[in-house]
Amino acid sequence: MAIRIYNSLTKKKEDFVPLEEKVVRMYTCGVTVYDQCHIGHGRSLYIFDVIRRYLQFRGYDVHFIRNITDIDDKIINRAQELQKSWETVVQENIDAYKRDLKALRIDEADVEPRATENIESIQRDITGLIAKGYAYEVDGDVYFRVRQFKRYGQLSGQSIEKMLEAVRIEPDAKKADPLDFALWKKSKENEPGWPSPWGTGRPGWHIECSCMSLKHLQCRTLDIHAGGRDLIFPHHENEIAQAEPLTGKPFAQYWIHHGLLTINGQKMAKSLGNFITIQEALKTYRVDALKMFFLASHYASAIDFSDERMKEASKAVEKISILLKRVEPFSKTKSESKLWEDPSLALPAWREKFSEAMDDDFNTPKALACLFDFVSETHRFIDTHQRDRAYHHTITAAGKLIEQWCHEIFGLLGDDASDKPSEEQERLLQERQEARRNKDFRRSDELRDLLREKGCIVEDTKEGQSWRRG
Ligand SMILES: [Zn+2]
């Protein structure tokens, strides 16, 4: 069965057919490095990592590019604010970004192109657009002539007239039309700049992405272009407008957009004081809990971050760990034939159910529901099938299947030290489990308080105790 993807361009769920058999060329809009990454970036980075992993799992050779915008008005403004050079601001934030990716255990892209390393190619594209009548230079700036591109608005589904109403008419008399956007910006004094046929300046944001995606994926049409929903207009609309006149081909076959993230129902903003960086979130919650929270909603939905939701996510992660711990001893016994699995746990059917969910537009909540049903079924099998011929082997195979889903596709249950309790916490957790088993609730409560002092919040669930940072 084919993977089906909701394509923002056609506004339909469609069978996924890449242009080259078994090869996927995928580009995602990366970060602008003027500040640290927040958990909204975390969602974007993670969810596209999961999609990449799933496509690989389904046998595709995925060429994956994620850019870094390292020159932008925001970077220049931040450098002025901090009285640092723009290069320092960029380097500090790239270092922080790489640290975040590592902490989240998200794979590097095949290429992570930076705008400033692709200036020549960007200039070549701009020159091409001027030559074809799609762009014009005015006093060191170059603008894209929006009305020249007849399909403008196809992605965001807006008419030019509607857009014109929405666009604030800037007092910029240089533009021939208020809808036109900058491809090249002339540098002011003391601003970074690169020599160009139009004088010293820097590229606009939109041209970076259309240029670097096609260049580094070495194609004229991408299979998948991905990004946040907030980028559809104008960023992605502009990317299409820039790319298609140059290549004469559709820019991307499938457009995937993730929904946005709010915090306790509010938009995240520095001014509201609810801005949570990835590093801050990981001081309170485990990496796997954060990932579980992202997976619990479909990538296209808006999600709301709250302590409550994070607690649920922590418990969900713990459910998987509890089962895997229970399964572990069975894998150490070699008593049965490896060729025969007990049909009462029907592993192939579970495998199929999971793939069906993921094939349906990467429906992670549906896939998780399948995973947790399978966790319960495996507990039940362990409790009730002791007499079965392939008892040990079936349990081991079930554990391996859960591990495969968690590791290979969701990037969960990594062996990152920060995701495990410390030795002391582990000892106290075990002692508490023992106390509860002996119904020594006073001791178990004492240990819970002690663990809290040591930064470990314990909760009791049906399957046993779970813990999270606190
Ligand atoms: Zn972009």
Side-chain angles (χ1 to χ4, degrees):
M1 214 184 80
I3 293 174
R4 290 175 66 75
I5 295 181
Y6 178 82
N7 188 352
S8 310
L9 184 65
T10 56
K11 316 218 170 14
K12 278 193 293 232
K13 224 187 253 184
E14 298 171 335
D15 282 0
F16 177 60
V17 186
L19 287 169
E20 191 181 329
E21 206 185 339
K22 285 289 158 198
V23 175
V24 179
R25 292 186 171 81
M26 176 170 178
Y27 180 85
T28 82
C29 289
V31 291
T32 300
V33 283
Y34 71 101
D35 205 343
Q36 292 199 29
C37 291
H38 54 64
I39 51 174
H41 296 120
R43 180 190 197 193
S44 179
L45 292 164
Y46 175 56
I47 225 68
F48 294 142
D49 187 51
V50 169
I51 291 177
R52 174 198 196 182
R53 281 161 175 266
Y54 186 67
L55 291 167
Q56 286 169 334
F57 175 79
R58 291 285 260 105
Y60 290 101
D61 177 12
V62 184
H63 301 213
F64 184 82
I65 313 277
R66 184 172 53 214
N67 76 307
I68 295 175
T69 297
D70 62 346
I71 184 68
D72 186 78
D73 290 349
K74 286 178 184 158
I75 294 170
I76 297 170
N77 294 341
R78 182 55 55 91
Q80 277 166 357
E81 240 173 77
L82 299 172
Q83 300 201 318
K84 287 180 178 176
S85 73
W86 70 274
E87 291 98 329
T88 307
V89 170
V90 162
Q91 200 49 54
E92 284 174 357
N93 287 305
I94 287 183
D95 291 345
Y97 165 65
K98 301 259 166 179
R99 181 195 59 197
D100 290 343
L101 283 179
K102 219 168 159 193
L104 293 171
R105 300 191 306 267
I106 290 174
D107 294 337
E108 297 243 335
D110 296 315
V111 188
E112 307 230 339
R114 291 168 59 166
T116 59
E117 290 167 353
N118 291 272
I119 297 285
E120 236 178 79
S121 311
I122 292 170
Q123 288 184 357
R124 204 175 310 131
D125 279 5
I126 298 174
T127 305
L129 286 169
I130 295 175
K132 288 183 182 235
Y134 284 90
Y136 55 95
E137 188 243 326
V138 189
D139 187 24
D141 291 327
V142 181
Y143 295 101
F144 186 90
R145 201 187 296 279
V146 167
R147 283 179 198 272
Q148 188 70 23
F149 183 62
K150 300 298 171 221
R151 293 190 299 283
Y152 197 80
Q154 60 182 331
L155 182 67
S156 52
Q158 305 183 69
S159 69
I160 292 216
E161 276 58 44
K162 269 261 159 58
M163 276 178 242
L164 200 52
E165 278 169 34
V167 168
R168 265 186 305 127
I169 311 275
E170 293 172 36
D172 187 349
K174 282 157 78 177
K175 287 189 200 178
D177 188 321
L179 281 175
D180 296 351
F181 59 88
L183 299 171
W184 186 261
K185 296 178 180 181
K186 180 179 173 176
S187 299
K188 296 189 196 111
E189 223 177 297
N190 298 326
E191 277 186 356
W194 287 260
S196 82
W198 322 286
T200 305
R202 60 180 187 275
W205 173 38
H206 315 301
I207 192 79
E208 276 177 36
C209 282
S210 59
C211 173
M212 295 194 293
S213 56
L214 295 174
K215 176 182 169 185
H216 293 284
L217 286 166
Q218 299 173 10
C219 62
R220 288 189 289 176
T221 300
L222 317 175
D223 289 307
I224 298 176
H225 192 311
R229 176 152 302 175
D230 53 337
L231 299 185
I232 293 177
F233 183 80
H235 185 51
H236 291 161
E237 197 73 73
N238 291 354
E239 280 190 54
I240 295 174
Q242 293 160 160
E244 296 192 353
L246 286 172
T247 61
K249 300 273 178 197
F251 177 43
Q253 289 210 82
Y254 302 88
W255 284 85
I256 300 185
H257 289 104
H258 68 76
L260 303 181
L261 180 142
T262 50
I263 309 250
N264 295 313
Q266 275 186 315
K267 199 179 158 184
M268 186 168 25
K270 281 228 157 111
S271 55
L272 294 170
N274 64 359
F275 192 88
I276 305 176
T277 65
I278 291 172
Q279 289 300 318
E280 280 162 356
L282 294 183
K283 277 185 201 151
T284 312
Y285 306 104
R286 293 155 67 193
V287 176
D288 283 344
L290 193 60
K291 289 184 172 180
M292 186 58 80
F293 161 68
F294 293 142
L295 293 172
S297 303
H298 186 255
Y299 74 82
S301 319
I303 50 172
D304 189 44
F305 183 90
S306 66
D307 202 41
E308 202 52 46
R309 295 290 310 274
M310 288 304 297
K311 275 184 198 163
E312 286 166 20
S314 299
K315 280 185 195 161
V317 173
E318 208 57 33
K319 266 189 198 170
I320 302 171
S321 304
I322 288 167
L323 178 78
L324 291 178
K325 267 183 215 151
R326 200 172 173 205
V327 163
E328 210 181 79
F330 292 97
S331 61
K332 295 190 177 113
T333 49
K334 280 190 263 169
S335 54
E336 304 136 350
S337 155
K338 297 255 176 241
L339 299 170
W340 197 75
E341 273 168 17
D342 196 306
S344 55
L345 198 55
L347 261 53
W350 286 102
R351 239 181 238 121
E352 202 175 304
K353 202 173 167 200
F354 182 89
S355 287
E356 256 172 38
M358 287 300 286
D359 281 355
D360 181 15
D361 196 24
F362 314 104
N363 194 327
T364 55
K366 222 154 97 183
L368 279 184
C370 165
L371 190 155
F372 286 114
D373 285 348
F374 185 59
V375 164
S376 306
E377 272 300 292
T378 306
H379 276 298
R380 199 187 50 78
F381 183 86
I382 296 173
D383 292 337
T384 54
H385 281 65
Q386 287 92 337
R387 286 161 181 275
D388 285 22
R389 186 149 65 96
Y391 182 63
H392 286 70
H393 175 57
T394 306
I395 295 169
T396 306
K400 283 213 176 105
L401 182 56
I402 292 172
E403 270 176 358
Q404 184 187 43
W405 291 339
C406 289
H407 288 161
E408 253 181 72
I409 298 166
F410 295 149
L412 289 168
L413 310 176
D415 48 8
D416 176 17
S418 69
D419 227 28
K420 285 187 176 152
S422 69
E423 237 170 77
E424 187 191 19
Q425 288 169 340
E426 179 68 43
R427 188 175 51 74
L428 294 170
L429 283 165
Q430 277 179 15
E431 204 182 315
R432 183 171 182 275
Q433 210 162 17
E434 193 57 37
R436 282 183 63 80
R437 211 171 292 139
N438 299 332
K439 306 223 179 313
D440 183 353
F441 296 114
R442 221 184 66 190
R443 180 66 188 143
S444 120
D445 286 352
E446 273 170 22
L447 284 162
R448 188 192 53 211
D449 295 344
L450 189 58
L451 276 157
R452 179 174 298 152
E453 279 169 34
K454 310 266 178 206
C456 187
I457 294 177
V458 189
E459 267 153 19
D460 297 305
T461 65
K462 257 202 332 271
E463 287 85 6
Q465 67 182 9
S466 79
W467 72 278
R468 64 190 162 86
R469 261 180 252 296

